Amino acid sequence: MSRVSTTPSNNPTTAYALLRRLRDHGVETVFGVVGREAASILFDEVEGIDFVLTRHEFTAGVAADVLARISGRPQACWATLGPGMTNLSTGVATSVLDRSPVIALAAQSESYDVFHNDTHQCVDAVGVMRPLTKYAVELQRPDDITDLVDSAVSAAMTEPVGPSFLSLPVDLLGAETDAAESRPPARTPDKPLGVVQDGWQAAADEAAELLAEAQHPVLVVGAAAIRSGAAPAVRALAERLNIPVITTYIAKGVMPQGHPLNYGAVTGYMDGILSFPALDTLFGPVDVIVTLGYDYAEDLRPSMWQRGGEKKTVRVSPTVNPVPRVFQPDVDVVTDVLAFVEHVDERTARLAPKTAHDIAPLRERIAEFLADPTAYADGMRVHQVIDCMNTVMAETAETGEGTIVSDIGFFRHYGVLFARADQPFGFLTSAGCSSFGYGIPAAMGAQMARPGQPTFLIAGDGGFHSNSADLETIARLNLPIVTVVVNNDTNGLIELYQNLGHRRSFDPVVKFTGVDFTKLAQANGVEAVRAASREDLLAALRKGAALGRPFLIEVPVNYDFTAGGFGALDI
């Protein structure tokens, strides 16, 4: 039986119909790795869609995730059958927990030879992907392809947004069809669709009354508020009523970094990192919390804001509350976040500005960390590295621009606390899935979404080297990403947990032998240097930001582990 499933044809094929419908829905890029289905699809069948070859399918999934997140439009990733699809599944899991409208595509064995776990490279792709996606189906008839793409986009663009998956037998992919010629225009939502509960205005009026009575209210903002287009309205409401804004990891940038009402992003690690009662300072005096687009997956748990006196909580979301056992709001408003903010803005038009509670001690503590002048003999501290990145980003980016991307590790929580973010999604990390190796593909997606803006990446040696092959992809695409690898030859976050649980660490579980990341970068076509001090790092960042091509900086670091201050991590 031949595994070459098609012969050259001048007639439209399923591959053509697939790519055309994706393009009609606004997809401009497919990231991925192609296998023997190349006999059925070349990816040049349709103008207006670029194929970006990655070194690993996980990279393809995360790059599509971030490009979709920033653009607000569906984006696509591709894998070959069998192990290509399973490699892609972690990228798909990232987009479902990090909430991005990704259209994941994978080849499958010929339709007449699909015997799961018996045919060469044939596994149940839909069975693997169904629990990780909003929609998963295998193509049965070539003429159905346009309908399947429409269904995939519709599911992906419905809150909570997430990935859809299509499994494509290679013989059907190369089959002739007129599916592309006989379909109505594609209808892609301008923004994600959500649930709108009847009578939501009455619940919103209750929320407005709580705000009117509150002494010290706060707005807690999640990414769904950004997806709704509500960020400018949130800022205007906060400024008019003088209400502080606190965000999840991924919603940093809803308020610019230096704005007096920007009370920062919350991480359960902040008390331990700062050796300071940050959560009590942020939430202790608060009497009303209005969550705008709150999503439990973004890792801000209700237990973190239950500090100090009794509080009333309002939940505003385009989805029905999925976690009522852990979050029981006093008022639940199920509607579009922008519609809610506009409604409350009207209802509170005559309300006098509030007195924002004082967090000066927390700001002083953060400023103390960022200004840390110490020259540590065993390596820089991550807060010093991020301060340098903030400095050069401020010098380089235009007002309201620039993106700092963080891979996964202990350093990520320093980024949540300290990294500059002056626009929505100006700080990117895998808030929901925390996918190790996220940094390189996320930076790729960010730079492609914002080609005229600087993109800085901070990554630890562990996560970076788990996916470092795609340095070559960055070099091949000549993406001007400035990468900072903070290297302690250790999985630092795991070492922290060892210390939390045992007051000691066990090196065989966390320690690596050294890798020269500058030579690794150079071997992949990326210029690189090593910087061991503030002065060297600032000079290297400035050089990298001015180059207009990829640049990597390796920075030896170390952590000062403390066993206290991490109680907020208890679930």
Side-chain angles (χ1 to χ4, degrees):
M1 182 182 299
S2 173
R3 288 200 174 93
V4 178
S5 304
T6 188
T7 56
S9 172
N10 293 323
N11 297 318
T13 64
T14 305
Y16 168 80
L18 166 71
L19 295 174
R20 178 168 168 178
R21 199 60 169 179
L22 288 172
R23 185 198 63 189
D24 290 345
H25 280 290
V27 175
E28 297 178 347
T29 305
V30 180
F31 300 89
V33 182
V34 181
R36 66 179 180 85
E37 68 278 7
S40 299
I41 183 169
L42 277 172
F43 288 97
D44 69 349
E45 289 86 347
V46 173
E47 292 185 3
I49 289 190
D50 294 324
F51 188 89
V52 174
L53 175 64
T54 61
R55 288 283 181 165
H56 196 280
E57 295 86 351
F58 169 69
T59 297
V62 172
D65 171 312
V66 171
L67 183 56
R69 177 190 310 280
I70 294 175
S71 69
R73 311 297 292 170
Q75 302 295 339
C77 53
W78 181 277
T80 193
L81 60 163
M85 180 277 302
T86 57
N87 282 346
L88 185 66
S89 66
T90 304
V92 172
T94 304
S95 66
V96 75
L97 273 166
D98 289 346
R99 314 300 194 216
S100 290
V102 169
I103 310 302
L105 308 161
Q108 178 58 290
S109 298
E110 285 78 3
S111 59
Y112 49 81
D113 197 33
V114 174
F115 301 105
H116 299 148
N117 302 338
D118 286 307
T119 302
H120 175 70
Q121 287 194 314
C122 181
V123 296
D124 184 357
V126 172
V128 170
M129 291 291 194
R130 182 176 286 119
L132 302 175
T133 58
K134 307 279 302 289
Y135 175 84
V137 69
E138 189 160 283
L139 179 66
Q140 302 295 323
R141 296 176 298 273
D143 289 350
D144 291 343
I145 188 63
T146 298
D147 292 334
L148 297 189
V149 172
D150 288 352
S151 294
V153 169
S154 177
M157 288 292 288
T158 299
E159 292 282 6
V161 299
S164 291
F165 173 70
L166 300 181
S167 175
L168 304 164
V170 292
D171 60 320
L172 303 186
L173 192 60
E176 294 182 5
T177 179
D178 62 357
E181 308 302 328
S182 58
R183 303 306 303 164
R187 292 182 173 86
T188 315
D190 291 332
K191 68 179 187 180
L193 304 175
V195 178
V196 178
Q197 193 170 53
D198 287 345
W200 71 265
Q201 294 90 343
D205 289 342
E206 290 184 55
E209 290 173 9
L210 286 178
L211 282 175
E213 296 167 0
Q215 295 296 312
H216 297 301
V218 297
L219 305 178
V220 172
V221 181
I226 301 173
R227 293 194 296 270
S228 77
V234 169
R235 177 174 177 178
L237 179 67
E239 289 174 338
R240 185 173 63 77
L241 295 180
N242 200 44
I243 299 177
V245 174
I246 296 170
T247 73
T248 62
Y249 301 176
I250 202 63
K252 273 172 68 79
V254 166
M255 300 290 278
Q257 187 72 16
H259 197 290
L261 292 173
N262 178 8
Y263 277 28
V266 171
T267 166
Y269 297 79
M270 62 198 309
D271 286 12
I273 290 172
L274 295 169
S275 297
F276 184 87
L279 290 170
D280 285 339
T281 304
L282 284 174
F283 293 113
V286 173
D287 53 357
V288 171
I289 295 175
V290 180
T291 68
L292 300 173
Y294 172 75
D295 189 334
Y296 191 66
E298 291 174 40
D299 207 26
L300 169 54
R301 295 188 293 276
S303 59
M304 294 180 189
W305 66 59
Q306 291 166 356
R307 306 298 176 105
E310 183 179 350
K311 307 175 197 314
K312 296 288 187 180
T313 57
V314 178
R315 175 184 175 273
V316 183
S317 176
T319 64
V320 174
N321 186 1
V323 288
R325 184 171 64 85
V326 294
F327 183 24
Q328 300 173 357
D330 296 282
V331 179
D332 195 8
V333 190
V334 181
T335 192
D336 176 71
V337 177
L338 177 58
F340 170 86
V341 174
E342 291 175 339
H343 183 91
V344 168
D345 186 56
E346 181 181 337
R347 290 297 190 273
T348 59
R350 294 187 177 86
L351 193 62
K354 299 293 178 177
T355 301
H357 64 288
D358 183 22
I359 62 163
L362 173 58
R363 285 180 164 150
E364 290 167 4
R365 182 62 172 157
I366 289 173
E368 180 184 351
F369 264 71
L370 291 173
D372 181 4
T374 309
Y376 296 94
D378 57 350
M380 290 183 70
R381 298 303 185 256
V382 174
H383 52 268
Q384 296 175 314
V385 174
I386 293 175
D387 182 56
C388 293
M389 294 175 71
N390 287 343
T391 297
V392 178
M393 181 62 81
E395 295 171 354
T396 306
E398 299 293 332
T399 302
E401 294 188 353
T403 310
I404 294 179
V405 178
S406 175
D407 207 323
I408 308 307
F410 191 26
F411 62 90
R412 186 261 291 271
H413 299 281
Y414 288 75
V416 174
L417 281 175
F418 303 128
R420 177 184 187 271
D422 281 343
Q423 63 178 326
F425 301 138
F427 175 79
L428 291 169
T429 188
S430 180
C433 200
S434 287
S435 303
F436 210 47
Y438 173 89
I440 285 177
M444 287 171 51
Q447 187 61 57
M448 292 176 71
R450 296 166 172 162
Q453 300 184 27
T455 300
F456 290 177
L457 164 62
I458 182 169
D461 55 284
F464 182 79
H465 206 23
S466 75
N467 201 27
S468 58
D470 273 292
L471 270 174
E472 185 275 332
T473 307
I474 291 176
R476 176 170 19 100
L477 299 177
N478 198 32
L479 298 174
I481 297 163
V482 179
T483 299
V484 177
V485 179
V486 288
N487 186 6
N488 63 345
D489 295 323
T490 304
N491 277 340
L493 186 60
I494 311 310
E495 187 177 27
L496 168 67
Y497 275 101
Q498 289 180 329
N499 279 273
L500 293 179
H502 307 281
R503 302 297 189 268
R504 63 186 179 88
S505 62
F506 181 52
D507 286 355
V509 177
V510 294
K511 294 292 184 182
F512 300 106
T513 54
V515 172
D516 188 331
F517 288 102
T518 61
K519 290 182 179 178
L520 177 71
Q522 291 161 2
N524 282 278
V526 175
E527 186 177 347
V529 298
R530 195 168 186 269
S533 68
R534 274 185 175 271
E535 293 74 18
D536 289 348
L537 179 54
L538 284 168
L541 285 165
R542 288 173 176 135
K543 176 181 178 179
L547 273 180
R549 61 179 183 270
F551 190 71
L552 182 142
I553 308 161
E554 181 181 354
V555 182
V557 300
N558 219 318
Y559 294 102
D560 299 314
F561 288 119
T562 61
F566 294 95
L569 301 178
D570 292 339
I571 299 176

